Amino acid sequence: MADKDERTDTGLTDVLLQSPAQEQGCMVRVAEGADQGAELDLPSGAAVIGTRDDCDLTLTDSAVSGRHLQLEVTSDGIVAVDLGSTNGTFYMETRVERAIVKHGASLRIGRTRLVLLSKEVPIAMKASTRTSYGALVGSSPAIRRLYAVLEQLEAFESSTLILGETGVGKELVAREIHAHSKRARGPFEVCDCGALSPTLIESELFGHTKGAFTGAHADHRGVFERGDRGTVFLDEIGELPAELQPKLLRVLDTHALRRVGGTDTFNVDVRVVAATNRDLGALVKSGKFRQDLFYRLEIITVRVPALRERREDVPLLIEHFLRSLGQGDLTLSPTTVELFATGYDWPGNIRELKNAVERVRTIGALPENLDRSGGTTGRADGTSVDIDIDGPFQEAKRRLVTAFEHDYLEARIKQSNNNISQAARSSGMERSQFKRLLRKHGLLGSDDGSP
């Protein structure tokens, strides 16, 4: 009964992110050109862009044809079809006749660049106006809905369950919940329920006394004791062994615990934030997770969007990761950034993107999955969506990789004040290899003939 009352008192059930945002429609915005700032709201169906008055978005760019481009909203994405224009439609600097693109993509027609953005969130969905929340970065509608939920949580201390795929940043969200709460000055303790054996998990959660089991050479305070007056984050809560679930439930209900092997009772004052990438409801139905514990943990539920639901944030995240790696002056070509944003679905989410950025920063190579994509748009299941282009696949891929190599090398050599040896070391390459690449891209100044 206490769980039901507490859930009612919070009044937060109407702001929870229960399901992923659907890619329904888009906002077409002129990002560059004579009509910069013009917009077209395309919630469904198809629209034509050109210079004729009967177009859905009429442009004044003389390099754009009368009926230049058609955009159509489909379940696979936004289908861009060139309508036989004189100067062509370009996606990632490749001329296309028909392409299926995602939110965050940009298309160039004439001297105009169009950006396809996620539709703004209706007022009723309570999107925040923030572009960041603590260490969380992004301004897409999906992430701003999350910010709105986190803003409302700041006044509450109820148990919170964070849902999301692997790599979306659930622990980072938990840390921001703590940092923006009344407990911010208290400790933040973490227990990964999926990384330890049942015995070690019990000890890490509740502590143990000296001699409680083999290897227990001294008393040990668990995360609930260490987290007193603060927050305890239980990661991968779906992996908690069934035999420990009743004990966790008692601690949540009574705010008291006994260490393993002990008889003394310790009162604890903690807020519990748990996270999982599993379907706890399904685990409850299968008998692998206690229903009463599930209800106790999900008083407030927060869903963290996958990276593919917030593609517009990828360029900003790339900049953020480069700064965190001490490479804030290193920039990637617009084509490469767009490939990161729209050419891959990032099943490993933020964690995978961060690792990919570090790979680029360290060895100057595109991630293998992106390199293989050759400019195609990937689906979640790993298949590719066809893009009709004038030239062959290998030529499109060659242009993409060449542009990336040139911009990477140029940024490295500038960063190192034209010191080739230093630039090569920071790139993880042999000096001779680095110099050959500089020569290939016409970036070598006065060549002394040395390797």
Side-chain angles (χ1 to χ4, degrees), residues 332-367:
L332 306 184
S333 72
T335 302
T336 301
V337 171
E338 184 155 352
L339 178 63
F340 270 67
T342 65
Y344 185 52
D345 273 343
W346 301 104
N349 292 291
I350 303 294
R351 183 182 298 129
E352 185 182 7
L353 174 63
K354 183 178 181 180
N355 291 340
V357 171
E358 185 164 3
R359 173 183 169 87
V360 169
R361 191 267 299 184
T362 303
I363 63 174
L366 287 171

Side-chain angles (χ1 to χ4, degrees), residues 135-188:
L136 300 173
V137 175
S139 59
S140 65
I143 198 67
R144 287 191 290 110
R145 284 196 293 272
L146 174 61
Y147 296 162
V149 174
L150 298 181
E151 287 169 354
Q152 290 207 322
L153 291 188
E154 293 174 7
F156 298 92
E157 293 195 353
S158 302
S159 298
T160 301
L161 180 63
I162 302 175
L163 304 177
E165 298 176 6
T166 297
V168 294
K170 295 187 289 294
E171 181 174 340
L172 187 58
V173 171
R175 290 184 180 276
E176 292 306 327
I177 289 174
H178 170 73
H180 289 81
S181 73
K182 298 175 183 178
R183 297 175 177 266
R185 294 180 179 273
F188 180 87

Side-chain angles (χ1 to χ4, degrees), residues 153-351:
L153 291 188
E154 293 174 7
F156 298 92
E157 293 195 353
S158 302
S159 298
T160 301
L161 180 63
I162 302 175
L163 304 177
E165 298 176 6
T166 297
V168 294
K170 295 187 289 294
E171 181 174 340
L172 187 58
V173 171
R175 290 184 180 276
E176 292 306 327
I177 289 174
H178 170 73
H180 289 81
S181 73
K182 298 175 183 178
R183 297 175 177 266
R185 294 180 179 273
F188 180 87
E189 292 289 335
V190 179
C191 179
D192 187 342
C193 300
L196 301 171
S197 67
T199 300
L200 292 179
I201 292 177
E202 184 175 17
S203 173
E204 182 58 15
L205 286 173
F206 313 116
H208 65 253
T209 61
K210 180 179 179 180
F213 50 83
T214 302
H217 301 300
D219 289 349
H220 173 70
R221 297 165 66 236
V223 293
F224 279 96
E225 284 188 71
R226 302 198 304 267
D228 191 39
R229 300 185 183 279
T231 301
V232 170
F233 176 54
L234 304 179
D235 199 9
E236 302 299 343
I237 190 65
E239 307 298 328
L240 186 68
E243 60 269 24
L244 296 183
Q245 293 175 23
K247 190 167 183 178
L248 174 58
L249 180 62
R250 284 195 298 274
V251 174
L252 295 178
D253 284 339
T254 65
H255 302 285
L257 61 82
R258 288 183 181 177
R259 295 176 180 172
V260 178
T263 57
D264 295 334
T265 299
F266 296 86
N267 293 321
V268 290
D269 173 19
V270 299
R271 180 197 189 162
V272 173
V273 177
T276 183
N277 60 8
R278 303 187 64 181
D279 185 346
L280 288 188
L283 293 180
V284 169
K285 290 181 179 179
S286 66
K288 296 180 180 178
F289 201 87
R290 289 180 64 108
Q291 186 176 54
D292 46 3
L293 178 58
F294 173 55
Y295 289 148
R296 189 66 179 79
L297 290 170
E298 68 143 8
I299 292 173
I300 301 170
T301 304
V302 176
R303 182 186 171 277
V304 184
L307 187 54
R308 63 181 174 276
E309 298 171 43
R310 42 180 299 214
R311 296 175 186 275
E312 302 98 309
D313 292 332
V314 170
L316 191 60
L317 288 166
I318 290 174
E319 293 179 8
H320 173 72
F321 292 142
L322 286 173
R323 285 196 302 270
S324 69
L325 293 167
Q327 302 291 325
D329 55 347
L330 176 62
T331 58
L332 306 184
S333 72
T335 302
T336 301
V337 171
E338 184 155 352
L339 178 63
F340 270 67
T342 65
Y344 185 52
D345 273 343
W346 301 104
N349 292 291
I350 303 294
R351 183 182 298 129

